[in-house]
Amino acid sequence: MASKIWLTLDLVETVFYLCAYEFTIRGVNSPWCRLLDDADGQVMEYSGDLKQFWKRGFGHDINSKASCILFHDLFKRLDTAANQIKSGGRVSEVVMVQVGHAETLLPLLTLLDLFKDDVPLNSSNFASHRGRAFRTGVIVPYAANLLMTLFDCPDGLRLQARLNERPLTLPGLDDLSPLYQDVRKRYKQLLQGCDQDTVCMMDSSKN
Ligand SMILES: *[C@@H]1O[C@H](CO)[C@@H](O)[C@H](O)[C@H]1NC(C)=O
């Protein structure tokens, strides 16, 4: 006798993650994967992207504004190193490593204006977002990492950003290793301050 199971989003999501985890962690083509075809996988991917878009991405302004302090910390360290290099002194902090979750990295990347689509992602425009930039499986996969490196070049200090080991073009800067002063110019407004009081007063239902 056949029994009926009502499929819910939770159940489908569980099947998708069982398939995905077994594949990525154990390299196994799990039987769970056979319950889904490519189109199902794309819809599940979009549903994950929707969640991150509204919770950590461009969906609400406050998502990325919360990373402003981290952003300032990063540029403060780069500024210190830049000044030490320029004055011919010793660089006191050659490498700095900060470890966190994708949920911290994603708002920072969003604050940097990276992976921004012209039209916001929502539940009814999946079809028009097949070629979207905001693809969290690519932006923040397992062990996602953002690397910012200063280079002392003949024409000045240059900054190279790498995301997941790949060179990254910062929006508005077409060079893969732009002059550090141009990067600072690009993010001038953010560098002027975080204004956390205003951020905390933001009404997320309106932004
Ligand atoms: C989704 O975005 C489209 C624009 O691509 C807009 O026309 C539509 O009203 C939005 N739908 C919802 C449910 O917000």
Side-chain angles (χ1 to χ4, degrees):
M1 196 182 82
S3 58
K4 262 190 209 158
I5 297 179
W6 294 108
L7 276 182
T8 61
L9 174 63
D10 274 357
L11 278 178
V12 178
E13 203 170 56
T14 303
V15 169
F16 178 70
Y17 282 118
L18 281 168
C19 159
Y21 285 136
E22 291 210 273
F23 178 69
T24 51
I25 298 171
R26 300 179 50 217
V28 174
N29 188 354
S30 157
W32 292 106
C33 300
R34 270 173 243 151
L35 296 172
L36 305 165
D37 61 18
D38 274 1
D40 298 330
Q42 282 159 19
V43 169
M44 293 313 297
E45 182 198 9
Y46 192 65
S47 117
D49 286 350
L50 271 182
K51 175 182 153 196
Q52 296 290 33
F53 182 84
W54 292 98
K55 286 187 80 173
R56 323 272 176 218
F58 295 101
H60 299 288
D61 256 4
I62 200 168
N63 296 345
S64 63
K65 289 282 167 16
S67 291
C68 196
I69 291 174
L70 182 57
F71 170 89
H72 274 258
D73 180 77
L74 174 66
F75 275 86
K76 210 178 80 195
R77 289 170 200 274
L78 288 170
D79 280 349
T80 304
N83 290 333
Q84 289 169 338
I85 295 169
K86 272 189 254 167
S87 63
R90 200 178 62 88
V91 176
S92 54
E93 195 176 59
V94 179
V95 176
M96 201 270 302
V97 180
Q98 298 201 60
V99 180
H101 289 259
E103 286 71 14
T104 302
L105 189 50
L106 201 50
L108 179 65
L109 295 170
T110 301
L111 192 66
L112 293 170
D113 256 344
L114 287 158
F115 309 107
K116 187 173 192 171
D117 296 289
D118 292 337
V119 175
L121 278 60
N122 69 30
S123 59
S124 56
N125 60 17
F126 165 68
S128 66
H129 270 308
R130 287 182 183 277
R132 66 190 176 278
F134 195 82
R135 210 163 218 123
T136 56
V138 177
I139 306 169
V140 283
Y142 296 120
N145 56 84
L146 174 69
L147 179 73
M148 299 265 192
T149 315
L150 277 178
F151 289 93
D152 190 3
C153 297
D155 59 348
L157 288 176
R158 290 184 172 269
L159 182 90
Q160 190 181 83
R162 282 176 175 254
L163 182 67
N164 307 321
E165 295 97 49
R166 287 195 194 90
L168 187 67
T169 314
L170 295 167
L173 298 159
D174 44 21
D175 199 316
L176 276 177
S177 304
L179 284 169
Y180 182 55
Q181 65 190 41
D182 291 343
V183 177
R184 289 190 101 269
K185 237 180 263 165
R186 166 64 180 79
Y187 295 111
K188 189 168 164 237
Q189 231 181 340
L190 281 172
L191 284 168
Q192 276 164 359
C194 287
D195 197 3
Q196 288 297 321
D197 292 339
T198 311
V199 173
C200 293
M201 299 290 285
M202 280 168 79
D203 183 346
S204 62
S205 64
K206 291 194 192 122
N207 285 284

